[in-house]
Amino acid sequence: MASIPLGFQHEESTLVTSEIAIDFMGIEDARVLATPHLVWHLEMACRNAVKPLLEASQDTVGTVVNIKHLAATPLGMAVRFVAEVIAVDGRRLEFRVAAFDEQEKVAEGTHERFIVDMERFANRVRAKAGRPTV
């Protein structure tokens, strides 16, 4: 099993573009980072934090998301996503997450991921889908 230290941190950044902004409000100036994309980027920051520490045959899958989207981030503004390992219990990993745009904190919360063996996981998915397992 991988050794993942408590307090281990990782950061990633992105620019809010039209591809990750809401567009249903009808006003171009109201386009901001969409919550589903915010959550996805936070999840990926957590995954990418620990992926280099895992065995080559392992990855992580998200199981719990508890995020508060605190403020809007407009098109063209950069956002920084921060993940910190706060608990390790066997294969269960818990992270404290936060996101910051160029002016303020825009999100905070926790996220849980489980370490999985990718081939075993793929076989379970194949079986569930009624396809032959390897």
Side-chain angles (χ1 to χ4, degrees):
M1 183 60 66
S3 177
I4 300 172
L6 293 179
F8 188 73
Q9 291 189 11
H10 177 75
E11 292 187 15
E12 298 185 358
S13 297
T14 195
L15 191 66
V16 178
T17 63
S18 60
E19 291 79 23
I20 63 171
I22 61 169
D23 62 0
F24 58 83
M25 297 178 102
I27 302 171
E28 190 66 17
D29 288 340
R31 298 201 60 201
V32 297
L33 177 63
T35 302
H37 290 284
L38 168 82
V39 171
W40 184 83
H41 281 280
L42 288 167
E43 282 201 57
M44 289 301 96
C46 294
R47 179 206 178 246
N48 295 339
V50 298
K51 180 67 174 149
L53 305 175
L54 302 177
E55 296 176 18
S57 62
Q58 296 177 319
D59 207 326
T60 61
V61 294
T63 55
V64 177
V65 176
N66 182 9
I67 307 294
K68 292 180 184 177
H69 196 165
L70 304 170
T73 303
L75 285 170
M77 191 172 277
V79 183
R80 182 170 52 97
F81 303 93
V82 181
E84 177 187 1
V85 177
I86 59 171
V88 177
D89 183 12
R91 296 184 309 127
R92 187 184 72 79
L93 309 173
E94 187 175 355
F95 299 84
R96 179 179 301 114
V97 295
F100 303 85
D101 66 21
E102 298 168 20
Q103 296 183 6
E104 62 187 328
K105 181 189 274 189
V106 297
E108 64 185 11
T110 58
H111 177 48
E112 182 179 279
R113 299 185 73 77
F114 267 79
I115 299 170
V116 297
D117 176 274
M118 292 181 297
E119 193 55 44
R120 286 184 60 210
F121 184 78
N123 273 331
R124 284 195 302 269
V125 174
R126 286 182 196 110
K128 187 173 184 174
R131 294 190 302 267
T133 60
V134 176

